[in-house]
Amino acid sequence: MNTRDWPIRAKLTALVIGPVTALLALWIFATSLTFGPALDLLAARTLLYDLGRPGQAVVSELQRERRLAVVQLAGDTLLPALAEQRTRTDRAVAELRRRIAGPDLRDAADDLLDSRLDQLVSALDALPAGRGFIDARKVDRAGAVGLYSGMINSAFQAFSAMATLPDNQLNRETLALTALGRSRELLGQADALLAGALTAGRYAAGEHEQLVRTIDNQRFLVESAVADLPERQRADYQRFTEGEAYVRLHGLQDSLIRARELPTGFDVRAWESSQAAVWQGLRDLELRGADDVAERSVPMAVATLVRLAAAGVLGLVAIVVCLLVGLRVGRSLARRLTGVRTAALEMAEQRLPDVVARLRRGEEVDVAREAPELDHGADEIGQVARAFNEVRRTAVQAAVDEVTLRRGLNEVFLNIARRSQGLVHRQLAVLDRLERQTEDPDELAGLFQVDHLATRLRRHAEDLVILAGSAPGRGWRSPVAAVDVLRGAISEVESYDRVDVGQVQPAGVLGRAVGDVIHLLAELIENATAFSPPATRVDVTGRSVPGGYAIEITDHGLGMSPQALANANRKLYSSPEFDPADSARLGLFVVARLAGRHGVRVELRLATPAGTTATVFIPADLVTEEPALGPSDRDAGESGPDERRMAKVTRLSSVPRARAARPVRDRPESAVVPLSAGRTSSVEPPADGDGLPRRVRRRGPAARPRPPVVDTPAQRPPEEARRAMSALQAGTARGRRDGARAAAARSSGVGSSTAADGGGAGQSFPPVSAPEPEPSTATERDA
């Protein structure tokens, strides 16, 4: 039995209950040992009057019936006296059976006496059959004597079982009285044998030897029985043996022993009178001894009960005292240990987490006040409490140091991230200027690739800002269309060319959440491309749902196990604190932190038939109507910074967004746009009707040298940059509209030249080749 995990109260209770239970068991055992003999002494009177007296009556009647049955078997006629005696015997047996069947005698009897009583009842059941054998003369005189003697012997065996009193002297006297009764029975057997021989006029074969043995056994038993009687009863027996009847009977027995045959002139009347007087005298002596034993047993039982009560009360008092002392000490120990445990749990579950939370909020913490001293005495428990005081003080100080260290580490992360962001923003500005100054399509494609890498680098720098507990600096003032948000997220993914944007229902995202939503979606999309085979596609869809807007990102990889899905969803839901030891799950932390900042829910589930689907639920307070494009004829100066940003982040998108028709200037179906000396680019409506123009690069007959581009800081004013970005956006919108209008009128062969481009957008949209792979801190999932 392992007791290490028992509560302290249970252990102390076991310490108290064990000895008290042992003491109580010992008390009960001692009480039962004393109480049982006392009950036996009280039951001696019941045994005497319910078994001894009725049993002696049955024995006497059986002895008389035996003598008459032997006399009848020795003669030739039936004896009327035998029938009368049988009636008296039946009455005595019936009374004995009633007493044996009663509850008093059975309750007072032990197991041995119970079995002896059952044997006596069984022996008495054979009496009617024995009488039948005697009446039919199927047995001789010796058989009749044996029949009745067996029943009488069963009665004396029951009497012997009564001698189980706790007092040795009483037991000896009881056994002596039983032996005295047996000697009286042998005296009756000798009388029956002699009566049969006198009636027949001679001894039967073996009767004389049996008579001699019976007389000798009777004399031996009576002498041995009298030796164990009290002094007063021995004196009574001595006076009895000096009487005339006993002396005359003794002389007649001697004459019978000496003569091999019946003595001539044997005085039968003297024998009968002497034998009856001695038999009755022995019976009276036996009854007086039994009465004396019964009377002496009652005071002894009372004295035993008094001693038992005194010992029981003292033992019970001792048990109660032990129990009270044990409970008092146990409660004291339990209360003090519970106090130490409560203090420990309070420190571990309340105080220490509260200290850490306050430290993270920037509050000052007093170590002495947060870890007060515990006073639990000067014993071992007090020493444990003092040791725990030191542990608490050390734990609080360690928490302060850890939070200080974490805060410093976050400041380092944030400092590095801010520096990286500054460099990336400067790099993007340089790239933007180079893209505007470059007219060579090949160089422009390379600049787009570098621009794409810089965009991804900016996201990784923002990861450091998020890990440091701060918010990225990117933001929009006006709502942005959901499709543009998706495009912006795709543009920050390495394998953007594997992403297919499906049905995207019109909606807008508030400007304050656009940057974080783009970052969150980029992490999930890059995770989907990283953990799915390169030949598979990643599907992105968006739809309006009750309570917000849902975006689903589905890959076709191996998927995740149910346990891994549950662990990932738990981290995404709870937005855990950043743990540097769990560096393989930085993406989950970034997504959870971004989602928790705006109340966005992210859930991963198994896709059909394989793969994983990430569902991003944007709440309704961040969703608006899809913002409309500005009028086509608005001048470039009216273009705001939000439009310029979205034009930047959607540069790599190849999926159109449906717009309402707007009045614009008329354009020819095919326009030639000069790029540089010797190069032109014709913009033609596409054959597939996706709404975007296709720019087809055409090289002139003689390539003119391209003037060198000097990498000098841009000196153009902000108004000029605003006009350039507005013109770019307006041109893109016009190209979509014109392409949709001319798609139905043109033949299918018109777009064959554009189909060679791979069905994507022109050179100003996707890069010519995929970017080089780089280490990513995007969301990593368990495959």
Side-chain angles (χ1 to χ4, degrees), residues 452 455-456 458-459 474 488-494 518 522:
H452 175 59
T455 302
R456 292 173 56 212
R458 178 184 59 188
R459 177 165 58 87
R474 273 197 302 166
I490 295 172
S491 69
E492 298 185 5
V493 177
E494 177 182 1
I518 289 176

Side-chain angles (χ1 to χ4, degrees), residues 48 53 170 173-174 177 180 229-230 232-233 236 282-296:
L48 174 63
R53 293 297 176 84
L170 291 180
E173 292 180 13
T174 302
L177 293 175
L180 193 62
L229 292 176
R232 182 173 56 84
Q233 294 181 10
D236 291 342
L282 292 176
R283 187 172 186 273
D284 293 340
L285 184 63
E286 181 182 351
L287 292 177
R288 286 197 301 270
D291 292 338
D292 182 66
V293 169
E295 292 175 359
R296 288 164 53 198

